[in-house]
Amino acid sequence: QVTRSAGSEGQHRILLLRIGLAAFCTMNVLAFTMVLWTHDVYPTAHDARSLVLDEVLRYLGLLFSLPVWFVLGQPLLFSALGHHRRGIPATDLLVCLGVWAAYGFSMVSTWRGTGAVYYEVACVILVLITLGRWMEAQGKLQASSALDELERLLPDVVRVRRGDHESLIPAAEVCAGDHLRVQAGECFSVDGVIAAGCAHVD
């Protein structure tokens, strides 16, 4: 369904698929990080097995956070670079810097085998920002679809009176100053002022 979609609706579905995949990976990263946090909350003796488990969890956090960066972080980075090249200040650049700082510090801690990791922070930021943009895109899609529905209600041809002659012409050819005749049950094709007659109008 995603691959068959085109236009705004297709982009909307692909973005939703990206968010779903990233959210799955982020939940795993959160689970791994919570185990690492327990050492701060519940101090225990660090035996050899505990140290090995910590190292494995750090690498698992790195492994599961990389898809989040490729799926959600890269489009954000390209957007930030595009705005930067055009000289337009945007929040995308600040978000990318924060996410990169979290990833960079965490990677160094992972390779050293000691220190805190913040993979979950970077992942959650990317997911929440993209989710917000998805909701914005959904609102725009619904608004544009409602406008398209309204546009379809407008008549394609109108009855115009020029002098004593009345004829049907395409609505796009109506000019300022034309006198249009709207019969009972018809829709108004353009804004205007009632010159003659009276009616109840929806």
Side-chain angles (χ1 to χ4, degrees), residues 151-171:
E151 193 176 5
R152 279 196 281 274
L153 295 175
L154 295 175
D156 295 327
V157 293
V158 294
R159 198 172 282 100
V160 65
R161 178 177 290 176
R162 290 174 178 156
D164 294 334
H165 182 64
E166 190 175 288
S167 60
L168 291 173
I169 64 168

Side-chain angles (χ1 to χ4, degrees), residues 13-183:
R13 285 181 178 158
I14 289 170
L15 186 57
L16 185 58
L17 181 68
R18 286 171 174 262
I19 292 171
L21 177 63
F24 169 76
C25 291
T26 299
M27 295 302 288
N28 283 282
V29 173
L30 282 168
F32 303 144
T33 310
M34 286 177 74
V35 177
L36 293 171
W37 286 346
T38 57
H39 298 315
D40 298 330
V41 180
Y42 306 107
T44 56
H46 288 283
D47 56 3
R49 284 185 303 173
S50 175
L51 293 174
V52 170
L53 177 63
D54 287 357
E55 189 172 355
V56 168
L57 290 174
R58 283 191 181 94
Y59 277 102
L60 282 173
L62 172 62
L63 181 67
F64 275 83
S65 64
L66 285 177
V68 180
W69 168 252
F70 285 114
V71 169
L72 301 183
Q74 275 193 336
L76 196 69
L77 178 63
F78 293 148
S79 170
L81 292 175
H83 283 105
H84 183 67
R85 280 193 211 104
R86 293 192 297 273
I88 302 170
T91 57
D92 290 355
L93 188 59
L94 293 174
V95 171
C96 285
L97 287 173
V99 168
W100 263 110
Y103 268 115
F105 186 88
S106 301
M107 284 179 182
V108 170
S109 296
T110 301
W111 289 327
R112 287 173 52 199
T114 181
V117 291
Y118 301 102
Y119 295 121
E120 83 288 352
V121 174
C123 291
V124 167
I125 287 173
L126 288 174
V127 168
L128 289 180
I129 284 191
T130 310
L131 185 61
R133 292 186 179 182
W134 172 76
M135 292 169 73
E136 181 186 2
Q138 187 180 27
K140 285 180 180 177
L141 188 64
Q142 289 174 350
S144 63
S145 134
L147 288 173
D148 290 342
E149 291 287 335
L150 287 174
E151 193 176 5
R152 279 196 281 274
L153 295 175
L154 295 175
D156 295 327
V157 293
V158 294
R159 198 172 282 100
V160 65
R161 178 177 290 176
R162 290 174 178 156
D164 294 334
H165 182 64
E166 190 175 288
S167 60
L168 291 173
I169 64 168
E173 294 180 11
V174 174
C175 301
D178 281 345
H179 287 237
L180 308 180
R181 185 176 179 202
V182 182
Q183 294 185 332

